[in-house]
Amino acid sequence: MHKKNIAVIGSTGSIGTQTLDIVRENPERFGVSVLAAGSKVDKLIEQAKAHRPHLAVIADETKYTILRSALEPLGIETAAGSRALADAMDRDDFSTVVTATVGYSGLEPTIRAIRAGKDIALANKETLVVAGELITRMLSTSTASVLPVDSEHSAIYQCLVGEDPATIDRLIITASGGPFRTRSPKELQNVTAADALQHPNWNMGNKITIDSATMMNKAFEIIEARWLFNIPGSRIEAVVHPQSIVHSMVQFCDGAVKAQLGIPDMHLPIRYALGDASRIDSPERRLSLSDYASLTFEKPDVEKFPCLTLAYKALAEGGTTACAINAANEVAVAAFLGGKIRFLDIYNVITSTLEATDFIKQPTYEDLVAVNSVARAKASEKIESILK
Ligand code: MG
């Protein structure tokens, strides 16, 4: 068997650690050449000792000395900073990059990896939210391919195997509804970050868990699906499915609907992406439908979760709208997690940031960088005005 060497960006997060579980289970299939983390240096060192990559990178430069003194005696190269991370994408000792970071910071290394012809196992959805059009254009002239790791997009990908894309009628993306699905609008006024972090089904990092509570995560997934599958937003819908067993569905022109089901566990989509859309044996618990009294589906409540509507606004406007939404959301979510603003302020910060940020119809990468930075500043100003 040809062994595939990978780079994992964001190795200490939820998707990163689960990726390394799969590498550990399949030592004959996968090897790790590069591990990169944001700031959790102790965990990165532990992972590097176990997986013996050629290079370990820490984005937080203040942690570099700790990393170097721990790993250099083992013959593992070390580096620090976002430039070093992007440069690592040019190395020739791996063919696939798992982009498991959260947020805008995933964009630059992903672009560098595509330029270097690497295949992408894409878990960083913000990359396609911010720069979907640019990335799609780059991929059309590159040998690099993208396989989705997001469970919904993996499900759609699996439903499309053997199908003619021209026969797709609509994509139906399932949403758990998050921890506040059954709360009244009045109760939502006073929910805290601790309340929001109690996700019913999925065990994820803090940022995506808040995005799940506002349903911004689903808005991002609609945008992500538009670019991954080249389907207009008008033919992508979200349906709330609280049990998170049906991971998403595709409806075809003859009315048939295909779904992919499984227990809510990210190992499956990660394994499928790492295996180039092939099936690899899994030790995990199997889905037993008889364990579920019912699987239910309902329309999302966009009055309660208006962030969901931002997906359609972003796709209708195109250009830099989604980039500005993402930037404002990252700043607002951090402020909510820090106890500075209330849950319902997140949407307000995003919409007022959109109004205050200039729109560019056909942005270059440099334009996206600029809009991201302006939108962050505007979002911070809005948050300051809420605090007064
Ligand atoms: Mg998802």
Side-chain angles (χ1 to χ4, degrees), residues 125 149-153 173-174 202 204 208 217-218 221 224 247-248 266:
K125 66 189 76 187
V149 168
D150 214 344
S151 62
E152 294 79 1
H153 305 77
I173 299 183
T174 52
W202 295 97
M204 308 178 288
I208 186 172
N217 183 52
K218 216 42 62 176
E221 289 179 352
E224 190 185 5
H247 296 316
S248 277
M266 288 305 296

Side-chain angles (χ1 to χ4, degrees), residues 33 41 50 123 128 152 177 185 221 223 225 270 273 277 280 303 315 349 378:
S33 295
V41 70
L128 285 179
E152 294 79 1
E221 289 179 352
I223 298 172
I270 297 169
I280 299 174
E303 303 284 316
L315 288 177
V349 168
K378 298 286 181 192

Side-chain angles (χ1 to χ4, degrees), residues 188-317:
L188 284 185
Q189 288 175 7
N190 295 313
V191 290
T192 64
D195 297 331
L197 291 174
Q198 301 294 321
H199 195 279
N201 303 337
W202 295 97
N203 184 11
M204 308 178 288
N206 284 356
K207 194 261 178 181
I208 186 172
T209 303
I210 303 303
D211 286 346
S212 174
T214 59
M215 292 197 80
M216 195 67 208
N217 183 52
K218 216 42 62 176
F220 286 161
E221 289 179 352
I222 290 168
I223 298 172
E224 190 185 5
R226 185 262 171 267
W227 296 113
L228 278 172
F229 303 108
N230 191 28
I231 298 291
S234 57
R235 292 201 279 132
I236 307 173
E237 66 183 61
V239 62
V240 174
H241 168 48
Q243 299 83 17
S244 297
I245 295 300
V246 175
H247 296 316
S248 277
M249 296 172 265
V250 180
Q251 185 172 76
F252 295 92
C253 61
D254 61 354
V257 176
K258 278 170 84 173
Q260 186 261 329
L261 287 72
I263 56 169
D265 184 330
M266 288 305 296
H267 288 95
L268 191 153
I270 297 169
R271 197 179 280 115
Y272 190 76
L274 280 185
D276 293 321
S278 65
R279 306 274 175 207
I280 299 174
D281 284 343
S282 157
E284 266 112 48
R285 181 167 72 82
R286 281 355 191 200
L287 170 65
S288 169
L289 280 174
S290 52
D291 291 345
Y292 296 83
S294 63
L295 298 181
T296 60
F297 301 88
E298 61 194 65
K299 266 203 158 81
D301 184 343
V302 292
E303 303 284 316
K304 248 164 65 179
F305 302 106
C307 286
L308 186 60
T309 63
L310 293 171
Y312 300 103
K313 180 179 171 64
L315 288 177
E317 292 179 5

Side-chain angles (χ1 to χ4, degrees), residues 89-169:
M89 299 299 99
D90 291 333
R91 294 171 66 97
D92 58 8
D93 55 359
F94 62 91
S95 60
T96 297
V97 183
V98 181
T99 62
T101 53
V102 174
Y104 175 85
S105 63
L107 179 61
E108 193 194 2
T110 307
I111 285 179
R112 288 285 297 271
I114 295 170
R115 282 207 186 117
K118 308 296 186 189
D119 291 332
I120 312 289
L122 185 83
N124 176 265
K125 66 189 76 187
E126 291 87 347
T127 295
L128 285 179
V129 170
V130 170
E133 190 165 16
L134 180 77
I135 299 277
T136 308
R137 219 180 312 130
M138 286 180 69
L139 285 168
S140 69
T141 58
S142 163
T143 55
S145 64
V146 169
L147 275 177
V149 168
D150 214 344
S151 62
E152 294 79 1
H153 305 77
S154 178
I156 291 169
Y157 192 100
Q158 292 176 61
C159 291
L160 290 176
V161 169
E163 302 288 355
D164 176 355
T167 64
I168 300 171
D169 186 32

